[in-house]
Amino acid sequence: MNKYDFGMVFLLILFISFFYFSFNNVNSENAVIKYNGEVIKTIELGKEETRYFEVEGDLGLVVIEVKDYQARVVEETSPLNICSNMGWRNDIIVCLPNRVVIEMVADDAVDTIVR
Amino acid sequence: MLQLKKHMQLSMLLTLAVVISIIESFFPLFGGIIPGFKLGLANVVIVFALYVFRFKEALFISLGKVLLVAILRTGLFSVTFFFSLSGALVSVLVMALFKKFNKFSIVGVSLIGAIGHGMGQIFFAVFFLESWQIINYLPIVMLLSIPSGIIVGLLAKNLIVYFDINTVNKQN
């Protein structure tokens, strides 16, 4: 590795930290479920009881569990099962082979997503 | 005769990349704590080809790998296929570009290739699923790309030294 390589690593780390702190929204109050870019459902995330939602994806049903301002995918069919292995999240879950996205956003951001 | 030898070498490298890629997908890193994250050892072959041959050959191996792995594992023209394709394409293009600058070593070129791979995949997902929020994944993907890109680069560098190959295009 030469000095330019180390310079690149330094710049990358700088860029990543800037990016991380500017995009890291703290509390998501709503979840927007999308299939192929279209909004299927908007859910209010709350502290109340566990709820389940089903969305039809490309490879089958995607079952989403919502609880305590968080969501996770409990059941889906895909080659690598990446989205169900991610566990509880409160930012975003992507099931690429199923074309299903669960976006968790702050209250005021829903309008811009749903339009 | 020389042409035949080169074709043989390229097909062997392509086979190697496909086999490494498939074997690697059986072993999730860190016991699957980080879903979807792979070291990308097949990229050693692509970086190796970029330095031993040229851009064209590296592109051939990279695209051939995506195509063959798709046929063997995930299915041709599926979402996952295009996802891999965009990552592989951006990766090779960026590596060739940074190699042309003649400033970075093979490790730096491999590193930018790993970063390009992640970026290509994320931007494909953003446009394909029309969700800008996916960009939230970019910091973690880029952060993981730094060690994997460096490891891949070091492996490729040591392979070239081990086989004692005169890289034909050291200058450009």
Side-chain angles (χ1 to χ4, degrees):
Chain A
M1 283 179 88
N2 61 27
K3 57 179 179 179
Y4 294 102
D5 296 344
F6 282 111
M8 179 151 63
V9 173
F10 177 72
L11 279 178
L12 281 172
I13 290 172
L14 213 70
F15 178 76
I16 291 165
S17 0
F18 170 76
F19 209 66
Y20 179 74
F21 289 113
S22 56
F23 271 84
N24 199 22
N25 45 357
V26 202
N27 259 320
S28 307
E29 278 137 8
N30 288 283
V32 179
I33 302 173
K34 284 181 173 180
Y35 170 70
N36 205 12
E38 274 172 56
V39 177
I40 303 292
K41 210 173 263 170
T42 308
I43 308 161
E44 238 177 82
L45 297 169
K47 251 193 139 41
E48 72 261 43
E49 82 289 354
T50 313
R51 286 167 297 162
Y52 294 91
F53 300 92
E54 286 180 350
V55 193
E56 186 69 41
D58 273 13
L59 303 176
L61 269 189
V62 178
V63 183
I64 301 151
E65 187 180 354
V66 175
K67 190 192 165 190
D68 227 5
Y69 292 101
Q70 283 185 314
R72 71 170 174 181
V73 173
V74 280
E75 229 183 284
E76 41 84 33
T77 315
S78 64
L80 297 172
N81 300 105
I82 289 174
C83 65
S84 50
N85 284 332
M86 286 177 77
W88 291 105
R89 306 279 302 200
N90 77 334
D91 46 5
I92 182 164
I93 299 172
V94 182
C95 300
L96 195 80
N98 280 301
R99 299 199 218 185
V100 171
V101 182
I102 306 142
E103 298 177 353
M104 281 151 272
V105 286
D107 212 6
D108 49 353
V110 165
D111 300 329
T112 40
I113 287 174
V114 177
R115 271 183 292 251
Chain B
M1 195 57 204
L2 262 173
Q3 194 67 15
L4 180 67
K5 191 181 167 195
K6 192 182 146 192
H7 284 164
M8 293 284 283
Q9 289 171 332
L10 280 180
S11 12
M12 265 144 87
L13 284 176
L14 175 58
T15 317
L16 195 60
V18 171
V19 170
I20 293 173
S21 182
I22 290 176
I23 290 177
E24 207 186 12
S25 68
F26 293 145
F27 302 101
L29 269 188
F30 310 119
I33 295 173
I34 309 160
F37 176 62
K38 283 202 304 181
L39 197 51
L41 283 176
N43 291 321
V44 175
V45 180
I46 289 151
V47 177
F48 182 84
L50 185 65
Y51 274 82
V52 174
F53 299 101
R54 276 162 199 282
F55 166 66
K56 230 173 68 187
E57 285 80 3
L59 186 71
F60 164 75
I61 291 174
S62 178
L63 296 184
K65 190 207 95 180
V66 172
L67 209 71
L68 287 173
V69 171
I71 291 169
L72 292 169
R73 299 266 297 156
T74 50
L76 208 52
F77 306 121
S78 64
V79 183
T80 337
F81 166 73
F82 288 110
F83 185 64
S84 320
L85 183 67
S86 45
L89 256 180
V90 175
S91 173
V92 181
L93 290 175
V94 165
M95 281 200 289
L97 182 73
F98 272 65
K99 187 166 169 281
K100 271 222 161 9
F101 291 156
N102 219 1
K103 291 266 189 281
F104 303 97
S105 79
I106 184 166
V107 179
V109 169
S110 161
L111 172 58
I112 202 68
I115 298 280
H117 207 278
M119 280 193 158
Q121 291 182 329
I122 297 263
F123 282 111
F124 168 78
V126 163
F127 288 112
F128 187 76
L129 298 170
E130 294 169 47
S131 165
W132 271 103
Q133 265 226 316
I134 295 175
I135 226 152
N136 273 322
Y137 282 134
L138 204 54
I140 183 70
V141 169
M142 284 177 74
L143 195 66
L144 292 169
S145 295
I146 295 178
S148 67
I150 290 173
I151 292 168
V152 165
L154 288 173
L155 283 171
K157 184 185 165 189
N158 284 311
L159 272 177
I160 289 169
V161 173
Y162 179 79
F163 288 116
D164 196 21
I165 297 163
N166 285 320
T167 45
V168 281
N169 45 347
K170 253 179 187 151
Q171 262 64 48
N172 58 42

